Amino acid sequence: MYEGTGSANHAEHSVLVKPTAKTKLLKFGLFAGAIALFVGVFVILSLIEMDFLLLPSSVMLIVLEVFGIWFFWKYTGIEYDYLIATGDLTVTAIYGGRSRKDIFSVKISSASIIAPYEGKPANEESTADTVYSCVSSFDATDIVYIAFKDEDGKKYVAYIEAPQKFIKLFKFYNSTACKVTVK
């Protein structure tokens, strides 16, 4: 978004998470579950001969099902925003294009290692307390991982997709920990 504005210490990048089998199953499950619930209640009320409840319960179920689909649908479309500003890397998740959640923020200078992802988990991942996977897919070509500690001493590993401007800024703010080369 801000690339090309001339700011040397600011970069922003966004990636949309590619649909996985899990998200496709969630989308199918939302619709199939809503239909099954509606049909099930309709059949039960018909069998116990409470026809006078069919219309009000049907309307209420439809409203609840639409709300449920609207509420859970946001978890099927996730986008990650990365922002580097004055030496801080901030990663934010955007769910369904309508709600934002800060995932983490770290001073680049405090990272112990910034290295390219080579198709297997980072060695630092085995000792990390939390691992963040903030990538569109692990098939992407520009994934790097960052290992860091917070003020409480907890260890973290984060996977992000880093364009060349990010790599330049990683080298600028922490050249000793940055193992990624600029192309």
Side-chain angles (χ1 to χ4, degrees), residues 28 31 36 40 69 79 81 85 93-94 112 150 152:
F28 175 76
F31 286 116
I69 290 171
E79 182 179 347
D81 275 349
I94 302 170
S112 59
D150 66 3
D152 300 330

Side-chain angles (χ1 to χ4, degrees), residues 25-165:
L25 185 62
L26 178 61
K27 285 180 180 181
F28 175 76
L30 285 172
F31 286 116
I35 291 168
L37 181 65
F38 182 76
V39 169
V41 169
F42 189 79
V43 167
I44 289 171
L45 289 176
S46 294
L47 289 176
I48 59 175
E49 297 181 7
M50 294 196 159
D51 295 333
F52 63 93
L53 288 177
L54 283 179
L55 183 63
S57 63
S58 299
V59 171
M60 190 168 103
L61 270 178
I62 290 171
V63 169
L64 287 174
E65 290 170 353
V66 167
F67 175 76
I69 290 171
W70 174 84
F71 182 78
F72 289 108
W73 194 262
K74 66 183 176 184
Y75 296 108
T76 64
I78 303 171
E79 182 179 347
Y80 290 108
D81 275 349
Y82 316 129
L83 171 68
I84 295 179
T86 61
D88 291 335
L89 170 65
T90 303
V91 177
T92 305
I94 302 170
Y95 297 103
R98 62 179 182 245
S99 61
R100 293 178 78 85
K101 179 183 176 192
D102 287 341
I103 304 298
F104 70 89
S105 185
V106 63
K107 283 212 157 296
I108 296 170
S109 60
S110 70
S112 59
I113 188 166
I114 303 168
Y117 171 70
E118 297 172 340
K120 59 184 172 137
N123 295 335
E124 292 79 8
E125 194 174 314
S126 62
T127 60
D129 295 313
T130 304
V131 176
Y132 297 112
S133 299
C134 304
V135 295
S136 63
S137 165
F138 276 101
D139 296 332
T141 58
D142 55 353
I143 298 176
V144 299
Y145 70 89
I146 302 167
F148 59 95
K149 290 183 183 177
D150 66 3
E151 301 85 29
D152 300 330
K154 288 187 177 183
K155 297 178 182 177
Y156 298 89
V157 172
Y159 295 94
I160 67 166
E161 293 179 40
Q164 290 302 306
K165 184 161 184 178

Side-chain angles (χ1 to χ4, degrees), residues 108-114 169-178:
I108 296 170
S109 60
S110 70
S112 59
I113 188 166
I114 303 168
L169 289 171
F170 290 152
K171 285 203 172 288
F172 178 76
Y173 286 111
N174 195 344
S175 60
T176 57
C178 189

